[in-house]
Amino acid sequence: VQLQASGGGLVQPGESLRLSCAVSGFTLDYDAIGWFRQAPGKERERVSCISMSDTSTFYADSVKDRFTISRDNAENTVYLQMNDLKPEDTAVYYCAAAIDSLAWVGGAVGAWGPGTLVTVSS
């Protein structure tokens, strides 16, 4: 499976961005798609994931009520709508796939895409 992320950029605090993760290749092995992020000098952390077969989602506490993950199965694309962005959201965001949501949340990621940089600064 191949994951291609897009949508990063530079925004001011309080603004919004939408990230996209296009999934291609052999996708049947991976039911959970989502986003990790890594800020400068920090470890990679989970942000959000979604199941491609049911309605389950996961959000890190730091992004709940601000970020929304969704999917378009017809387009094999997962979206992360990020609202009310804060400087602490600045990071490289990586799209990641796992066999299911439990594995994804546990960090057992089977495939990574290249990152997209999100910078939140005034």
Side-chain angles (χ1 to χ4, degrees):
V1 68
Q2 291 79 46
L3 307 171
Q4 184 62 52
S6 61
L10 171 63
V11 297
Q12 295 188 350
E15 294 185 339
S16 299
L17 274 177
R18 188 177 79 159
L19 303 183
S20 299
C21 177
V23 185
S24 61
F26 193 71
T27 62
L28 294 181
D29 286 345
Y30 299 99
D31 185 68
I33 306 291
W35 301 89
F36 284 72
R37 68 185 180 186
Q38 187 165 20
K42 295 188 177 181
E43 293 190 356
R44 192 173 294 186
E45 64 175 352
R46 301 168 301 186
V47 177
S48 179
C49 79
I50 189 168
S51 168
M52 301 302 282
S53 62
D54 61 37
T55 59
S56 62
T57 57
F58 164 84
Y59 292 96
D61 288 343
S62 59
V63 306
K64 280 180 182 176
D65 300 324
R66 299 189 298 122
F67 291 11
T68 302
I69 195 166
S70 62
R71 56 177 165 83
D72 183 335
N73 285 54
E75 296 292 329
N76 276 344
T77 302
V78 173
Y79 301 98
L80 185 68
Q81 178 66 41
M82 306 186 293
N83 297 331
D84 190 23
L85 282 161
K86 304 177 185 299
E88 52 264 40
D89 295 316
T90 295
V92 177
Y93 284 69
Y94 297 91
C95 188
I99 57 171
D100 57 33
S101 297
L102 186 63
W104 194 99
V105 172
V109 169
W112 293 94
T116 185
L117 177 62
V118 172
T119 303
V120 185
S121 175
S122 55

